[in-house]
Each structure stands twice: as structure tokens, then as C-alpha cells.
Amino acid sequence: MDIYKLEAWYLKNQRKLPFRESKNSYHIWVSEVMLQQTQVDTVLPYFSKFIEKYPTVLDLANANEEELHKTVEGLGYYRRFRMMHQAAITIMRDFKGVFPDQYEHVRSLPGVGAYTAGAIMSIAYNQPFSATDGNVIRVLARYLGDDQDMRLEKNKKRMDIYQQQMIEKATPWIYTQAIMELGALICRPRQPKCDLCPLQEHCQSYQQDIQDQIPLITRPLKTKVYHYITLVIEDQEAIYLRKRHEELLKGMYEYPQYESESLNFVLNELEQQGIVLDIYEEKTAFKHVFSHQTWLMDVYHARRIKGSHPEWIRISKHDIFNYPMAIAHRKIKLTSIIW
Ligand code: SF4
């Protein structure tokens, strides 16, 4: 690969991003965690807010989990931030509060996989450890003209081995960011800008004009679809929420919801627990797609007549923005307060 052309291209064309302004390993860790599954433009305001609120590992270790959720509300995949909190506590306990600079130590932190460890080691410490994510795989598979199915681990592994060979010949902090930036700006999923690409000369896909066929990624298994009856239950100036303990969105708040397609079934179940609701508005249908499941929510607005569930938490309607809520439910509007 034309490593030097790639690095020179990066140094000239890189975007100005706040987490690239220093080699602070904590900042790089935060940015890499946020950038997993999330676009750079979406991450930028969250990154600044996060670093302002938790400027050091110590601040993150001492974070109140609910406030932490609130800070990242809207980014999705909240488990990554719970793991980050655990990792910060681990750094305080096992590494005297100093972000580790050995690969094995970084990799041992909760939630830190091979990609994140490689990114931190190469960008913050200039060490030759590969960081191979989907964007890098796309660039490498196209460059090499590799038409194998990149959903399969063995093929991803092959790309990672190649990436490791390249970074060992390169300047690690530049190379890692350069190939990521090339994937984001030039070798994009659709319509790559090959005319502007520093790798064009030896790119197999370009030479064979097969860029749009590579990488081959077979379709994932179908996502599971859940039907919910979702209840926005008002009680004068109050509203009811529930804190999730399920693995998906654990620790986030939601309106009470029940897996069913029948409102009557849910109301009957609640009545048997002594809870009576008055549904005062026709349903509104909402859909939210996660990576492995889809929620189809029939949302009903109700008034509480009597009873309550032990999992329901009664809060003032006006405090609702103080509670970390998943976007799946945040997009449901209350009718009687101004949004
Ligand atoms: S020449 Fe085109 S397909 Fe090949 S690496 Fe560059 S942008 Fe991607």
C-alpha cells in the first residue's frame, strides 16, 4: 500500500475535530467510544459536553450514573457508557487514576475491545496496534480487490492482519487516523471519490471498476419485531415513568409499556392488579428500529383513576427532561405540556 501517500493526504486534508487536537488518551477513548455506531457530526456536540462535564478519568469514575445517561441521551447504545463508567472506576482502582499505556492493560478495561484498544494505542501513544472497524475493512477490501464476504469473522480477521502489517511500516498515529478519514471522506460506502484518492494507483477495485461490488456483506439475520402497548399515564401535573432493568437501554427511563397488540388485554391485566386507567386519546403509532430489534408501539394517553404499579415512578411532567430517556420514547409527545 502507498502508506506515505496516504499519510501525506491525511496531514493535508484531515477535518478539524476537537478530539484530534491533542494526544490525550482519555479524550481519544471518549471519542472512539462515542464514534462506535454513531456519525461524527452527531458526536461532536456530545463530545464537547461530555469533556466539559467529565474532564478527567476521576470525574467520570465519580459520575452519577443517571446524570451520565442524561449527558449521552440521544446517542443510543447506552451500554457502552455504562461500561465506560466501570472502566473509569477500574483505572482509578488498578492504575492509580492514570490512563494505561500498555495494550494488555487498555484491552483489559471493561468495554474496550480490540478496535478501541488499537485506536487508543496508535493515536495516543504512537504504537503499532491495528484498529480495524467496518470503515477500514471497506477501504482495505476495495484496495486489495477482496470480494469475500466481510460479514464472516475469518475474512475480517484477514483484513486485520493486513492492517497490522501496514501499521508496522507506518507512523501509527497518522496511519490509523488517515485510513479512517479516507473511509469517511473518500472511500465512502457509496460513490467513492476515486479521483481524489491517494491509493488509486494500486487499488484493485478501481482498476477493475468493481468499487460498488466491494465489500461484499451478506444480509444480517432478520431483526426481531416487538409490538408494544405504550401508556403515557397522566395524573394531574404528574406522569409515570419506569426505569429499565433490561439489558437493552438499561438504566434509561421509559413510559410503561407492555408486549402486546391488544389494549384491552393490557388494561384487563392492569385491572387485575388494582390499576384503573381512563384512555382519553386514540392511539398514535410509533416505530423505532434498533440494530437487532424493532419496536412497534401503539401509544395511548391515559389518566390514572386508581392504583399504581411498584415499578412506576411518579414525577412532575415538567421534570421529564431531567430523566434520561431513550429516543424511542423521547419522541412520544405529551399532549398537555408544551414541547
Ligand atoms: S481508489 Fe476508490 S475504491 Fe480504491 S481505495 Fe480509493 S476511493 Fe476506495
Side-chain angles (χ1 to χ4, degrees), residues 138-140 142-143 182 186-188 192-201 203-206 211:
R138 179 175 66 254
V139 176
L140 294 181
R142 282 178 177 162
Y143 180 76
L182 192 79
I186 304 292
C187 196
R188 306 173 307 182
K193 298 178 179 175
C194 299
D195 290 344
L196 302 175
C197 181
L199 303 181
Q200 189 206 74
E201 192 182 343
C203 175
Q204 295 301 309
S205 296
Y206 176 76
Q211 304 94 314

Short mmCIF file of all heavy atoms in Angstrom, two decimals, residues 138-140 142-143 182 186-188 192-201 203-206 211, ligand 1:
data_model
loop_
_atom_site.label_atom_id
_atom_site.label_comp_id
_atom_site.label_asym_id
_atom_site.label_seq_id
_atom_site.Cartn_x
_atom_site.Cartn_y
_atom_site.Cartn_z
N ARG A 138 -13.76 -1.76 4.65
CA ARG A 138 -14.22 -1.35 3.31
C ARG A 138 -13.05 -0.84 2.46
O ARG A 138 -12.89 -1.26 1.30
CB ARG A 138 -15.30 -0.26 3.43
CG ARG A 138 -15.81 0.22 2.08
CD ARG A 138 -16.95 1.21 2.22
NE ARG A 138 -16.55 2.47 2.85
CZ ARG A 138 -16.86 2.83 4.09
NH1 ARG A 138 -17.56 2.05 4.86
NH2 ARG A 138 -16.44 3.99 4.58
N VAL A 139 -12.22 0.03 3.04
CA VAL A 139 -11.10 0.59 2.28
C VAL A 139 -10.14 -0.53 1.87
O VAL A 139 -9.74 -0.63 0.70
CB VAL A 139 -10.35 1.66 3.11
CG1 VAL A 139 -9.12 2.15 2.35
CG2 VAL A 139 -11.27 2.81 3.46
N LEU A 140 -9.79 -1.38 2.83
CA LEU A 140 -8.79 -2.43 2.55
C LEU A 140 -9.33 -3.43 1.53
O LEU A 140 -8.61 -3.84 0.61
CB LEU A 140 -8.40 -3.15 3.84
CG LEU A 140 -7.65 -2.31 4.88
CD1 LEU A 140 -7.29 -3.16 6.09
CD2 LEU A 140 -6.40 -1.67 4.29
N ARG A 142 -11.54 -3.02 -0.75
CA ARG A 142 -11.53 -2.41 -2.09
C ARG A 142 -10.12 -2.30 -2.63
O ARG A 142 -9.86 -2.63 -3.80
CB ARG A 142 -12.19 -1.02 -2.04
CG ARG A 142 -13.71 -1.09 -2.00
CD ARG A 142 -14.28 0.30 -1.90
NE ARG A 142 -15.74 0.29 -1.93
CZ ARG A 142 -16.48 1.32 -1.53
NH1 ARG A 142 -15.91 2.43 -1.09
NH2 ARG A 142 -17.80 1.26 -1.59
N TYR A 143 -9.22 -1.83 -1.80
CA TYR A 143 -7.84 -1.65 -2.26
C TYR A 143 -7.26 -2.98 -2.74
O TYR A 143 -6.60 -3.06 -3.78
CB TYR A 143 -6.99 -1.07 -1.12
CG TYR A 143 -5.55 -0.87 -1.51
CD1 TYR A 143 -5.17 0.20 -2.32
CD2 TYR A 143 -4.57 -1.76 -1.08
CE1 TYR A 143 -3.85 0.37 -2.70
CE2 TYR A 143 -3.24 -1.60 -1.45
CZ TYR A 143 -2.89 -0.52 -2.26
OH TYR A 143 -1.59 -0.36 -2.65
N LEU A 182 -9.94 8.45 5.31
CA LEU A 182 -10.14 8.11 3.90
C LEU A 182 -11.48 7.40 3.73
O LEU A 182 -12.23 7.66 2.78
CB LEU A 182 -9.00 7.21 3.40
CG LEU A 182 -8.98 7.04 1.88
CD1 LEU A 182 -8.35 8.25 1.21
CD2 LEU A 182 -8.22 5.78 1.47
N ILE A 186 -13.50 9.79 1.41
CA ILE A 186 -13.20 9.44 0.01
C ILE A 186 -13.74 8.05 -0.36
O ILE A 186 -14.55 7.91 -1.27
CB ILE A 186 -11.66 9.48 -0.24
CG1 ILE A 186 -11.09 10.86 0.12
CG2 ILE A 186 -11.34 9.11 -1.68
CD1 ILE A 186 -11.52 11.99 -0.77
N CYS A 187 -13.31 7.04 0.36
CA CYS A 187 -13.73 5.68 0.02
C CYS A 187 -15.03 5.38 0.78
O CYS A 187 -15.11 4.49 1.60
CB CYS A 187 -12.62 4.68 0.39
SG CYS A 187 -12.86 3.09 -0.41
N ARG A 188 -16.05 6.19 0.46
CA ARG A 188 -17.33 6.13 1.17
C ARG A 188 -18.10 4.87 0.75
O ARG A 188 -17.80 4.28 -0.30
CB ARG A 188 -18.15 7.37 0.84
CG ARG A 188 -17.39 8.67 1.12
CD ARG A 188 -18.13 9.86 0.65
NE ARG A 188 -18.54 9.76 -0.76
CZ ARG A 188 -19.17 10.69 -1.43
NH1 ARG A 188 -19.48 11.81 -0.84
NH2 ARG A 188 -19.50 10.52 -2.70
N PRO A 192 -17.62 6.16 -4.10
CA PRO A 192 -16.30 6.60 -3.61
C PRO A 192 -15.70 7.60 -4.59
O PRO A 192 -15.91 7.52 -5.80
CB PRO A 192 -15.50 5.29 -3.57
CG PRO A 192 -16.21 4.35 -4.49
CD PRO A 192 -17.66 4.72 -4.43
N LYS A 193 -14.95 8.55 -4.02
CA LYS A 193 -14.34 9.60 -4.85
C LYS A 193 -12.94 9.16 -5.27
O LYS A 193 -11.93 9.72 -4.80
CB LYS A 193 -14.28 10.90 -4.06
CG LYS A 193 -15.65 11.43 -3.64
CD LYS A 193 -15.43 12.68 -2.81
CE LYS A 193 -16.74 13.31 -2.37
NZ LYS A 193 -16.52 14.46 -1.47
N CYS A 194 -12.89 8.19 -6.14
CA CYS A 194 -11.60 7.58 -6.51
C CYS A 194 -10.65 8.60 -7.14
O CYS A 194 -9.43 8.48 -7.02
CB CYS A 194 -11.82 6.41 -7.46
SG CYS A 194 -12.81 5.10 -6.70
N ASP A 195 -11.20 9.60 -7.82
CA ASP A 195 -10.34 10.59 -8.47
C ASP A 195 -9.52 11.39 -7.47
O ASP A 195 -8.50 11.99 -7.83
CB ASP A 195 -11.18 11.55 -9.33
CG ASP A 195 -11.73 10.82 -10.54
OD1 ASP A 195 -11.22 9.72 -10.84
OD2 ASP A 195 -12.68 11.33 -11.16
N LEU A 196 -9.99 11.43 -6.21
CA LEU A 196 -9.26 12.20 -5.18
C LEU A 196 -8.47 11.30 -4.25
O LEU A 196 -7.88 11.76 -3.28
CB LEU A 196 -10.28 13.01 -4.34
CG LEU A 196 -11.16 14.00 -5.10
CD1 LEU A 196 -12.18 14.63 -4.16
CD2 LEU A 196 -10.30 15.08 -5.75
N CYS A 197 -8.43 10.01 -4.54
CA CYS A 197 -7.89 9.04 -3.58
C CYS A 197 -6.37 8.85 -3.73
O CYS A 197 -5.88 8.57 -4.83
CB CYS A 197 -8.60 7.70 -3.78
SG CYS A 197 -8.00 6.46 -2.61
N PRO A 198 -5.65 8.94 -2.62
CA PRO A 198 -4.20 8.74 -2.69
C PRO A 198 -3.81 7.27 -2.95
O PRO A 198 -2.65 6.99 -3.24
CB PRO A 198 -3.73 9.18 -1.29
CG PRO A 198 -4.92 9.00 -0.41
CD PRO A 198 -6.13 9.27 -1.26
N LEU A 199 -4.78 6.35 -2.83
CA LEU A 199 -4.47 4.93 -3.04
C LEU A 199 -4.85 4.46 -4.45
O LEU A 199 -4.71 3.27 -4.76
CB LEU A 199 -5.21 4.07 -2.00
CG LEU A 199 -4.94 4.38 -0.53
CD1 LEU A 199 -5.72 3.43 0.37
CD2 LEU A 199 -3.44 4.30 -0.23
N GLN A 200 -5.33 5.39 -5.24
CA GLN A 200 -5.92 4.99 -6.54
C GLN A 200 -4.96 4.16 -7.41
O GLN A 200 -5.36 3.17 -8.03
CB GLN A 200 -6.35 6.25 -7.29
CG GLN A 200 -7.16 5.96 -8.52
CD GLN A 200 -7.01 7.10 -9.53
OE1 GLN A 200 -5.98 7.24 -10.18
NE2 GLN A 200 -8.05 7.91 -9.64
N GLU A 201 -3.71 4.56 -7.46
CA GLU A 201 -2.78 3.95 -8.42
C GLU A 201 -2.72 2.43 -8.33
O GLU A 201 -2.67 1.74 -9.35
CB GLU A 201 -1.37 4.55 -8.22
CG GLU A 201 -0.43 4.19 -9.35
CD GLU A 201 0.97 4.75 -9.12
OE1 GLU A 201 1.14 5.66 -8.28
OE2 GLU A 201 1.90 4.24 -9.78
N CYS A 203 -5.02 0.54 -6.49
CA CYS A 203 -6.28 0.00 -5.97
C CYS A 203 -6.88 -1.00 -6.98
O CYS A 203 -7.19 -0.64 -8.12
CB CYS A 203 -7.27 1.13 -5.70
SG CYS A 203 -8.89 0.51 -5.21
N GLN A 204 -7.03 -2.23 -6.55
CA GLN A 204 -7.53 -3.29 -7.43
C GLN A 204 -8.98 -3.03 -7.86
O GLN A 204 -9.35 -3.28 -9.01
CB GLN A 204 -7.45 -4.65 -6.72
CG GLN A 204 -6.03 -5.09 -6.42
CD GLN A 204 -5.20 -5.21 -7.69
OE1 GLN A 204 -5.60 -5.85 -8.65
NE2 GLN A 204 -4.05 -4.55 -7.70
N SER A 205 -9.80 -2.54 -6.94
CA SER A 205 -11.21 -2.30 -7.29
C SER A 205 -11.33 -1.20 -8.32
O SER A 205 -12.16 -1.26 -9.23
CB SER A 205 -12.01 -1.92 -6.04
OG SER A 205 -12.02 -2.99 -5.16
N TYR A 206 -10.50 -0.17 -8.16
CA TYR A 206 -10.53 0.93 -9.11
C TYR A 206 -10.11 0.43 -10.49
O TYR A 206 -10.75 0.73 -11.51
CB TYR A 206 -9.62 2.07 -8.64
CG TYR A 206 -9.53 3.19 -9.63
CD1 TYR A 206 -10.58 4.10 -9.77
CD2 TYR A 206 -8.40 3.34 -10.44
CE1 TYR A 206 -10.50 5.13 -10.70
CE2 TYR A 206 -8.32 4.37 -11.37
CZ TYR A 206 -9.38 5.26 -11.50
OH TYR A 206 -9.31 6.27 -12.41
N GLN A 211 -15.70 -1.11 -7.62
CA GLN A 211 -15.81 -0.49 -6.29
C GLN A 211 -17.19 -0.71 -5.68
O GLN A 211 -17.32 -0.87 -4.48
CB GLN A 211 -15.57 1.03 -6.36
CG GLN A 211 -14.27 1.44 -6.95
CD GLN A 211 -14.39 1.73 -8.44
OE1 GLN A 211 -15.00 0.96 -9.17
NE2 GLN A 211 -13.82 2.82 -8.87
S1 SF4 B 1 -9.37 4.20 -5.41
FE1 SF4 B 1 -11.54 4.31 -4.94
S2 SF4 B 1 -12.14 2.26 -4.29
FE2 SF4 B 1 -9.90 2.35 -4.25
S3 SF4 B 1 -9.42 2.86 -2.13
FE3 SF4 B 1 -9.51 4.77 -3.27
S4 SF4 B 1 -11.62 5.52 -3.08
FE4 SF4 B 1 -11.58 3.36 -2.44
#
